[in-house]
Amino acid sequence: MTVSEFNSCVDQYADNLYRFILKTVKDKDIAKDIVQDTYEKLWIKVSDVESTNAKSYMFTTAYRTMIDFIRREKKKEAWQDGFESIQAEDHQYKGLKQILNEAVDKLPEIQRSVVLLRDYEGYDYKEIGEITGLTESQVKVYIFRARQTLKNYLVKLEVVI
């Protein structure tokens, strides 16, 4: 890959990569850091990566970097002796976007990632498998289970009210 092809990849995929990471980590600064790390890793391997495979390489690298970050954060939380604050329930109508985001947040990590890649970013099953390291059939199963979970969550009245 040449320098101009690298710059083209940055221009072309930066927003999609950022949105994908942000949907999972929910922190703009962390998402920016992960995207920056991804481009740094791509720059280090610029001579080894074909320009036609750059998109897949970037999403795979960003996904794995995000997983590493999440694992590190879980370890930090395990060491801390903090108590979770109990929040009072608010019985007001929530917006559709907020309800959908809450529903997606409740999914297990792998299901959330494959659903975001499929439904938000528009990747096909094969590409999602390459990004996440799963087989195509595993991707289909995870997406099916995630959609079932979302469906069951979204039909509950107490979620909306």
Side-chain angles (χ1 to χ4, degrees), residues 50-135:
E50 296 286 328
S51 62
T52 56
N53 297 335
K55 181 179 178 183
S56 177
Y57 178 84
M58 287 185 305
F59 272 87
T60 302
T61 304
Y63 173 77
R64 291 181 178 156
T65 304
M66 177 185 65
I67 295 300
D68 290 344
F69 170 79
I70 291 170
R71 288 179 180 156
R72 277 193 310 270
E73 288 300 308
K74 284 183 181 178
K75 286 181 182 178
K76 285 180 187 177
E77 289 174 10
W79 285 97
Q80 294 174 351
D81 292 328
F83 293 99
E84 293 182 9
S85 62
I86 300 173
Q87 298 177 353
E89 291 187 27
D90 189 10
H91 294 289
Q92 295 179 354
Y93 175 75
K94 301 175 184 177
L96 180 60
K97 185 175 182 179
Q98 181 183 357
I99 293 169
L100 286 172
N101 286 336
E102 287 175 8
V104 171
D105 289 344
K106 291 189 183 295
L107 291 173
E109 183 180 308
I110 188 68
Q111 289 181 5
R112 182 181 328 120
S113 295
V114 295
V115 164
L116 290 175
L117 286 169
R118 177 71 179 165
D119 296 335
Y120 283 82
E121 298 298 329
Y123 285 100
D124 63 21
Y125 298 119
K126 183 179 179 184
E127 290 174 320
I128 295 170
E130 291 172 2
I131 291 169
T132 58
L134 300 170
T135 66

Side-chain angles (χ1 to χ4, degrees), residues 26-54:
K26 305 289 187 223
D27 186 312
K28 292 179 181 181
D29 293 330
I30 294 170
K32 287 177 184 177
D33 287 344
I34 292 172
V35 171
Q36 185 66 33
D37 288 348
T38 300
Y39 281 116
E40 179 184 4
K41 290 174 184 176
L42 178 62
W43 182 252
I44 291 169
K45 299 259 185 186
V46 74
S47 60
D48 298 335
V49 177
E50 296 286 328
S51 62
T52 56
N53 297 335

